[in-house]
Amino acid sequence: MSARYQFSLSKELLAKAVEELNEPDDDAERLKAIDLLKENYIATNPGLPLLRSDDKFLLKFLRARKFDQDRALKMLTNYHQQRNKWPEVFDKIKNPILLKNFLDAGVIVPLSGKAKNGCKVLVVRPGLVPGLITDTIALVMASLEKLSDEEETQIHGLIFIEDLAYISIDLVQQMSPAIAKRAVGIIQDAMPLRLKQINITNEPKIFDVISVIFQPFLKDKLKKRVRLHGTDFDALYQVVDRSVLPIMFAGSGPELDTEGWKNTILEEGTAL
């Protein structure tokens, strides 16, 4: 049996987790919460075994839902149910080598630095490589799965920068309401991460069509966290310092580590 979880991060992170996520500051109390979530899941999902039952896996669902047992259980259940509902996406998440051309191009890559509030920053460039919208969605989900294992990201949260400079008519035509509902639903209700902000840059003229497709499925809280920047990044610099942003956002930070992120995704695949 593996050793039980013990909080080993900084005092500052523990304080943030206690204040913002209602996380117990005591290891024993935290383990009680983990065990209760596991027991409740097993009791309510007899035909849907846990993908993983280790403390770190279950803890990220508790953190994503501020240690509310009912909400964490709902997210954990959604997470497992989704694996069987969308094979054209999840088969590729489980076999990310099928997304190698997207990884080679750097369609989705996190910044090496953090946002000013400590959040991880994920850059998404749909359309950079021609292909299926479901492949882009699969790579988003695979990336979120990797990032959700990072404890600092669990506590601080995640910020998206979606650069729409490469969006094509073909890709937009693939964005049906059904696909939008599924994708947004997974990100909002199944992925154990706190999405703090979505920054959209270089919106094309056809962006209004994209917005009409996706807006109905965004919860009000997330709608308020969407920021449109166009080609003026001044407001973005208030969130992510220019020294962290690459030149594509008129920053002075390092280029995206496309190769490093590709290796991260490919070396072990993903659990989801």
Side-chain angles (χ1 to χ4, degrees):
M1 184 176 177
S2 60
R4 299 303 304 267
Y5 176 85
Q6 288 184 308
F7 195 96
S8 59
L9 303 176
S10 68
K11 291 181 179 179
E12 291 77 15
L13 272 175
L14 177 58
K16 184 180 180 73
V18 171
E19 180 180 356
E20 296 186 12
L21 307 183
N22 301 315
E23 181 161 343
D25 60 3
D26 176 76
D27 281 331
E29 290 301 314
R30 188 184 295 105
L31 292 178
K32 285 182 182 179
I34 291 171
D35 290 342
L36 180 59
L37 178 60
K38 181 178 178 180
E39 291 167 7
N40 288 339
Y41 180 86
I42 292 172
T44 55
N45 294 280
L48 194 62
L50 280 167
L51 187 65
R52 287 167 51 189
S53 59
D54 55 284
D55 292 344
K56 286 188 175 182
F57 175 73
L58 295 168
L59 178 57
K60 62 185 181 180
F61 290 90
L62 287 165
R63 284 174 172 161
R65 287 298 182 254
K66 297 186 177 182
F67 277 76
D68 182 307
Q69 284 285 342
D70 290 339
R71 294 175 67 227
L73 175 60
K74 185 175 181 180
M75 172 174 270
L76 183 62
T77 300
N78 286 340
Y79 176 96
H80 284 80
Q81 290 175 340
Q82 291 299 336
R83 297 178 66 233
N84 301 318
K85 288 185 176 180
W86 205 359
E88 59 266 43
V89 167
F90 288 92
D91 286 352
K92 291 176 180 176
I93 294 174
K94 289 180 279 191
N95 299 283
I97 190 65
L98 298 173
L99 302 169
K100 186 174 180 297
N101 60 326
F102 284 70
L103 289 162
D104 285 337
V107 172
I108 299 168
V109 185
L111 298 183
S112 56
K114 304 288 181 65
K116 291 181 179 181
N117 61 1
C119 285
K120 193 82 171 186
V121 182
L122 188 65
V123 176
V124 183
R125 295 184 285 178
L128 183 62
V129 173
L132 299 174
I133 185 64
T134 49
D135 285 351
T136 300
I137 294 169
L139 187 51
V140 169
M141 302 304 176
S143 298
L144 295 181
E145 178 73 12
K146 285 291 185 184
L147 294 175
S148 74
D149 281 335
E150 300 177 358
E151 286 198 78
E152 289 190 19
T153 303
Q154 293 168 18
I155 295 170
H156 283 301
L158 176 71
I159 287 174
F160 275 5
I161 300 179
E162 294 194 29
D163 183 2
L164 302 187
Y166 308 94
I167 283 282
S168 66
I169 295 295
D170 175 67
L171 199 62
V172 172
Q173 288 175 336
Q174 296 180 51
M175 295 179 185
S176 69
I179 284 178
K181 182 178 181 180
R182 280 182 165 185
V184 171
I186 293 169
I187 291 173
Q188 290 184 141
D189 301 320
M191 276 293 176
L193 276 171
R194 302 167 66 218
L195 184 53
K196 305 294 286 186
Q197 196 174 98
I198 300 174
N199 296 277
I200 299 176
T201 66
N202 295 305
E203 304 95 292
K205 291 180 179 180
I206 203 170
F207 177 73
D208 287 346
V209 175
I210 301 171
S211 182
V212 166
I213 294 171
F214 281 87
Q215 278 280 335
F217 310 112
L218 295 176
K219 294 179 179 178
D220 288 341
K221 180 185 289 187
L222 193 55
K223 285 180 181 178
K224 294 175 183 177
R225 295 178 178 179
V226 176
R227 303 285 185 272
L228 304 180
H229 299 280
T231 57
D232 181 355
F233 306 130
D234 285 347
L236 182 60
Y237 302 147
Q238 297 175 21
V239 180
V240 186
D241 196 87
R242 293 184 72 159
S243 64
V244 173
L245 290 164
I247 195 171
M248 71 179 71
F249 303 115
S252 58
E255 290 301 306
L256 297 176
D257 184 10
T258 297
E259 190 68 17
W261 189 242
K262 178 181 76 172
N263 293 336
T264 296
I265 294 292
L266 293 179
E267 65 186 7
E268 297 177 358
T270 61
L272 187 61

